[in-house]
């Protein structure tokens, strides 16, 4: 009986809302804007999804924003163009420590286990998650051509990290060959 209940919960939670409403798109229980401005460019929502753990625990809703829509993950990772990931925290289980651990694991997967070439950049990026994280916090992880990765929490700039190598590894966390969440990757690519 317990297995049946867990299976039913998992199946029900797979019903991810992705509906447009005016200038917003509903992804799970979160409304994401269809456009955002980054580094002087108007970006459009390419797609989005929900980051889950153990099939039922929804950690955050996320959206990928690009200058022009694309479903080519590698081209997006390699592009020296303005883009952004918007992550809206939807669970109290996402703590500062949990986010740091997830980011470390993500870089490890994105860089095939060898992060040594970007250790200082990764350490700086992880420091952006040192303050308490609560439900409804919004992280905008942007890449701004000519400047680098610039991160914001609830609209406040946390810092920047220059370099395409870091940008590629970072966006590889969500869009790489071993993404943090396969369904989230598929959703962000508009599929």
């Amino acid at each position: 009986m317990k297995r049946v209940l867990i299976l039913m919960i998992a199946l029900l939670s797979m019903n991810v809302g992705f509906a447009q409403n005016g200038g917003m798109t509903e992804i799970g229980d979160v409304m994401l804007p269809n456009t955002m401005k980054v580094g002087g460019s108007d970006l459009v929502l390419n797609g989005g999804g929900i980051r889950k753990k153990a099939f039922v625990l929804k950690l955050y809703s996320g959206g990928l924003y690009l200058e022009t829509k694309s479903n080519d993950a590698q081209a997006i990772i390699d592009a020296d163009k303005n883009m952004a990931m918007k992550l809206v925290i939807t669970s109290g289980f996402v703590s500062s420590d949990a986010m740091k651990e997830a980011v470390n694991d993500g870089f490890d997967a994105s860089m095939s286990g060898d992060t040594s070439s970007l250790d200082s950049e990764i350490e700086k990026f992880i420091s952006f998650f040192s303050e308490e994280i609560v439900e409804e916090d919004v992280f905008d992880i942007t890449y701004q051509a000519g400047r680098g990765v610039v991160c914001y929490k609830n609209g406040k700039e946390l810092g920047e990290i220059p370099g395409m190598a870091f940008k590629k590894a970072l966006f590889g966390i969500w869009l790489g060959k071993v993404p943090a969440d396969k369904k989230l990757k598929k959703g962000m690519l508009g599929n």
Side-chain angles (χ1 to χ4, degrees):
M1 181 67 176
K2 189 175 180 181
R3 277 193 218 158
V4 172
L5 181 60
I6 290 171
L7 180 62
M8 287 178 59
I9 291 170
L11 290 172
L12 290 171
S13 68
M14 290 173 65
N15 184 14
V16 177
F18 190 88
Q20 290 197 349
N21 181 7
M24 305 289 278
T25 296
E26 184 178 352
I27 298 179
D29 297 329
V30 173
M31 297 298 287
L32 294 182
N34 290 336
T35 61
M36 67 186 289
K37 196 168 204 67
V38 170
S41 293
D42 292 319
L43 305 182
V44 296
L45 180 62
N46 194 66
I50 299 170
R51 171 72 168 100
K52 293 182 182 179
K53 192 158 187 135
F55 300 106
V56 294
L57 183 60
K58 298 175 184 177
L59 302 177
Y60 60 79
S61 290
L64 172 65
Y65 292 80
L66 304 172
E67 291 179 347
T68 54
K69 290 193 174 207
S70 172
N71 62 4
D72 186 337
Q74 195 59 52
I76 295 166
I77 291 169
D78 293 339
D80 187 11
K81 296 181 177 180
N82 294 333
M83 62 183 66
M85 296 266 186
K86 183 179 285 289
L87 308 178
V88 182
I89 306 302
T90 57
S91 170
F93 288 105
V94 180
S95 65
S96 176
D97 288 340
M99 186 66 104
K100 290 176 185 179
E101 184 179 331
V103 168
N104 259 328
D105 291 347
F107 276 113
D108 195 48
S110 177
M111 299 179 71
S112 301
D114 182 8
T115 61
S116 59
S117 63
L118 293 174
D119 279 345
S120 62
E121 290 90 342
I122 292 169
E123 188 175 319
K124 182 176 182 180
F125 183 75
I126 287 173
S127 75
F128 297 159
F129 303 101
S130 58
E131 291 182 11
E132 180 184 9
I133 298 173
V134 297
E135 284 183 55
E136 298 183 14
D137 275 345
V138 178
F139 289 93
D140 289 309
I141 300 169
T142 72
Y143 175 74
Q144 300 179 31
R147 186 172 176 196
V149 171
V150 185
C151 293
Y152 304 84
K153 179 181 179 184
N154 301 325
K156 177 186 169 197
E157 185 174 320
L158 301 173
E160 68 180 85
I161 302 170
M164 274 298 289
F166 180 75
K167 180 264 182 180
K168 289 179 181 184
L170 177 62
F171 278 74
I173 291 174
W174 293 276
L175 302 175
K177 290 182 173 67
V178 185
D181 184 303
K182 290 178 182 177
K183 287 186 179 182
L184 178 58
K185 173 183 175 178
K186 189 175 177 181
M188 286 184 167
L189 294 175
N191 299 320

